[in-house]
Amino acid sequence: MMLDTSTKMSLMDITKIFSLLRPKEDEDEDGCQQLNKAIAEDDDQLLADLLSQERYRRCINSRSGWGIPSTPLKTAAAHGHLRCLERLLAHGAEVDSLDVKAQTPLFTAVSGKHLGCVSALLKAGADPNGSQYNNCSPLLTAAREGDVDILKELLYYGAETDVQAKVPDWASNATTCRGPLYIAAVYGHLDCFKLLLLHGADPDYNCKDKKILARIKRSNTVLDTCLKYGCQSEYIQLLIDFGANIYIPVVITEKTREQDQVIKLLLRERVFLFAVCPKTLMSQIRLAIRKYLSAAHKLDLIDELDIPQMLKNYLKHTT
């Protein structure tokens, strides 16, 4: 019997999970528990003493504990105990170790809003996109929680701005194809919304997966979503400034009818571009430069450009 790609992926995920559940033959359960106990109590000195012994160093990447067995590094990330986390990393802890839910220590630190641990893990080489086996991602989580500082760290280390949840084809729907911009808009996190656009998120982001599109009536762009959920005019203005297509069909709901300012802003921009003139040369140059820097993954180098500070601010949309 032939298996399609989604079925093969599911079987691979199950195999991975069972491999994580299966204890290693040489694991020292008591040693693992003592490491986790020291970490849970944030006893950095005790942890250092334990790790000075070979018996405990062998447990540094082992999983133990009730419920969902965790590595010592994930325990430190979950509690936000930065000193212990850095101690573990210095002794060679596996930075992207997985638990049975396919969550990395970074994902756990992001979920717990532990900025210091997030920064330390990223500096140590953690994958900013999390695990390929996990349905969610650190960036989606930060966008949902509205944690702009953690979002900034993830983006600085190269997290994918237009990432979407990974689910089997049979479970996909209109919700699963939404990216971080959608999430930031729906949850009302304007700072995160702007930050994502500043780091190259597609203002016209939309689902292009044919399998998902075949399962839903209509996929919505970010602009559609902002109007549908009654977002403030600042969201619409940002999409306009970042070059979103404003001529797409607009979903008018009761919420958008109540927001005359938003609708007027959008319609005024349409009329202005059609009847008067296109975007100003300055605006078009800004879009072109940002698009080029984004494609080269060098948006963070704007401050190093040999141009007046006023133009740097303009490129960063801070004026």
Side-chain angles (χ1 to χ4, degrees), residues 31-43 46 50 64 75 81:
C32 295
Q33 289 181 0
Q34 289 197 48
L35 281 180
N36 279 326
K37 185 175 183 295
I39 294 165
E41 295 175 355
D42 200 16
D43 194 334
L46 174 58
L50 293 174
S64 65
T75 300
H81 293 166

Side-chain angles (χ1 to χ4, degrees), residues 30-185:
D30 181 62
C32 295
Q33 289 181 0
Q34 289 197 48
L35 281 180
N36 279 326
K37 185 175 183 295
I39 294 165
E41 295 175 355
D42 200 16
D43 194 334
D44 174 53
Q45 189 55 54
L46 174 58
L47 179 62
D49 292 341
L50 293 174
L51 290 174
S52 67
Q53 303 172 51
E54 177 62 25
R55 171 193 174 188
Y56 295 101
R57 285 198 299 272
R58 287 200 302 266
C59 300
I60 197 167
N61 292 316
S62 300
R63 299 171 185 82
S64 65
W66 294 99
I68 301 174
S70 298
T71 63
L73 191 64
K74 189 195 171 183
T75 300
H79 286 85
H81 293 166
L82 178 58
R83 292 177 304 169
C84 290
L85 182 137
E86 290 177 331
R87 181 79 65 182
L88 290 164
L89 290 171
H91 280 80
E94 184 182 339
V95 70
D96 282 327
S97 58
L98 302 180
D99 62 18
V100 295
K101 296 174 68 176
Q103 295 178 348
T104 63
L106 176 64
F107 183 92
T108 302
V110 170
S111 299
K113 299 185 177 182
H114 302 308
L115 176 60
C117 291
V118 169
S119 299
L121 288 165
L122 288 168
K123 288 176 183 176
D127 188 336
N129 295 307
S131 168
Q132 62 173 320
Y133 301 110
N134 195 341
N135 291 343
C136 196
S137 76
L139 195 75
L140 283 169
T141 301
R144 183 191 66 217
E145 296 300 320
D147 200 320
V148 68
D149 291 328
I150 285 181
L151 190 68
K152 190 178 298 183
E153 282 289 284
L154 293 169
L155 291 168
Y156 176 79
Y157 281 92
E160 185 182 345
T161 54
D162 293 321
V163 66
Q164 67 183 49
K166 299 180 285 293
V167 297
D169 293 337
W170 57 266
S172 60
N173 54 38
T175 301
T176 60
C177 66
R178 294 174 178 174
L181 270 183
Y182 283 91
I183 301 298

Side-chain angles (χ1 to χ4, degrees), residues 189-201:
H189 301 314
L190 181 60
D191 288 343
C192 292
F193 189 82
K194 181 177 182 180
L195 187 63
L196 287 163
L197 288 169
L198 284 168
H199 281 79

